[in-house]
């Protein structure tokens, strides 16, 4: 049909891939178990604002998307909302992100992980403003705040032994990658985590793991001669 599929609870059973052919929503619990939910070019919206409304087995149950497809979550708590996103490309890459709104107002966030060089999606790594030394060539995330404009903490998880070491996050703004600014570091189980606090998403969706360029961006002379000599 053409109308959005609406579920109260949606439990994915057995193994393999469950594929959407249309937008869908879950008003209570989305239970991925050990299954890949492939939204394709569609959106899966979790309307329940409970941070625990998505249940999954780590490194087994996850959500993948293509194009404009996204995992969407409604929020209204100052709490951590996990987005268990991943993709199968030369093996499973489960790289979740967490968004923690800083208020209890209604918000909505959308996430998609892309396991590919960002240039293949129109965001070439060569286009950057000089604030980044290098960027992750293997994957990046689309993250968007589709309702409200309040700030939130953004955390991206990665595995250094597989993904390399990174110390900042790049964001695509005005047709180039730029350093997101100071981030906090943490670890959780197998993951290292980079966290940008009080981030305003501003519809600049692409976010990527990166290393900041060390030292000043531009050489500034400490003396000059009036006659140019």
């Amino acid at each position: 049909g053409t109308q959005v599929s609406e579920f109260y609870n949606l439990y994915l059973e057995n193994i393999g891939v469950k594929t959407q052919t249309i937008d869908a929503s879950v008003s209570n619990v989305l239970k991925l178990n050990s299954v890949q939910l492939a939204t394709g070019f569609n959106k899966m919206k979790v309307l329940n604002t409970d941070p625990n409304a998505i249940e999954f087995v780590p490194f087994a149950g996850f959500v993948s998307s293509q194009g404009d497809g996204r995992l969407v979550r409604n929020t209204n708590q100052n709490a951590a909302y996990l987005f268990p996103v991943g993709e199968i490309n030369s093996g499973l890459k489960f790289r979740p992100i967490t968004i923690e709104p800083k208020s209890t107002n209604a918000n909505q966030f959308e996430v998609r992980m892309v396991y590919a060089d960002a240039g293949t999606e129109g965001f070439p790594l060569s286009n950057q403003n000089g604030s980044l030394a290098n960027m992750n060539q293997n994957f990046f995330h689309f993250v968007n705040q589709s309702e409200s404009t309040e700030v939130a903490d953004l955390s991206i998880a990665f595995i250094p032994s597989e993904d390399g070491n990174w110390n900042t996050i790049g964001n695509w703004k005005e047709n180039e990658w730029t350093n997101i600014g100071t981030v906090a570091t943490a670890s959780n189980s197998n993951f290292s985590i980079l966290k940008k606090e009080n981030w305003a998403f501003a519809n600049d969706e692409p976010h990527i793991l990166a290393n900041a360029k060390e030292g000043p961006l531009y050489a500034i002379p400490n003396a000059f001669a009036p006659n140019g000599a």
Side-chain angles (χ1 to χ4, degrees):
T2 59
Q3 298 197 7
V4 173
S5 296
E6 298 178 350
F7 301 90
Y8 180 69
N9 290 322
L10 178 59
Y11 295 173
L12 307 186
E13 301 292 347
N14 301 312
I15 59 174
V17 181
K18 309 297 183 183
T19 303
Q20 286 181 228
T21 58
I22 196 168
D23 287 346
S25 67
V26 175
S27 58
N28 192 40
V29 173
L30 171 61
K31 193 169 185 177
L32 300 171
N33 290 311
S34 297
V35 176
Q36 175 187 355
L37 172 61
T39 74
F41 294 89
N42 308 293
K43 294 183 178 181
M44 171 58 76
K45 295 184 177 181
V46 179
L47 306 180
N48 184 358
T49 57
D50 184 341
N52 299 311
I54 300 179
E55 301 177 13
F56 63 97
V57 177
F59 294 95
F62 64 98
V63 178
S64 65
S65 302
Q66 296 174 268
D68 293 331
R70 300 286 189 275
L71 172 60
V72 184
R73 298 199 67 171
N74 285 356
T75 70
N76 66 358
Q77 298 183 39
N78 177 204
Y81 288 81
L82 185 65
F83 289 74
V85 291
E87 192 170 299
I88 294 180
N89 186 334
S90 301
L92 170 60
K93 297 296 181 182
F94 173 70
R95 299 296 183 268
I97 75 166
T98 300
I99 296 174
E100 185 176 343
K102 307 309 291 184
S103 79
T104 56
N105 294 329
N107 284 280
Q108 187 176 85
F109 297 90
E110 306 184 358
V111 174
R112 172 193 168 204
M113 178 196 167
V114 183
Y115 190 70
D117 187 301
T120 64
E121 296 264 344
F123 310 101
L125 302 185
S126 57
N127 288 18
Q128 63 116 336
N129 68 353
S131 61
L132 298 170
N134 59 323
M135 288 166 276
N136 185 358
Q137 298 180 8
N138 294 323
F139 68 86
F140 70 106
H141 292 82
F142 287 103
V143 187
N144 186 41
Q145 187 174 11
S146 46
E147 290 185 9
S148 186
T149 57
E150 297 185 4
V151 297
D153 293 350
L154 168 66
S155 298
I156 300 179
F158 64 100
I159 301 177
S161 61
E162 297 181 17
D163 307 326
N165 290 301
W166 308 100
N167 60 27
T168 193
I169 299 170
N171 180 223
W172 183 264
K173 288 180 178 291
E174 299 179 355
N175 296 317
E176 63 182 6
W177 292 102
T178 185
N179 190 342
I180 203 171
T182 302
V183 298
T185 59
S187 61
N188 183 358
S189 186
N190 295 325
F191 291 113
S192 291
I193 298 169
L194 296 182
K195 179 178 181 179
K196 175 61 179 177
E197 298 179 346
N198 300 312
W199 180 235
F201 293 90
N203 293 319
D204 300 307
E205 290 192 66
H207 293 73
I208 195 168
L209 298 171
N211 284 315
K213 186 174 182 179
E214 297 181 1
L217 298 183
Y218 305 100
I220 301 175
N222 57 16
F224 67 94
N227 63 0

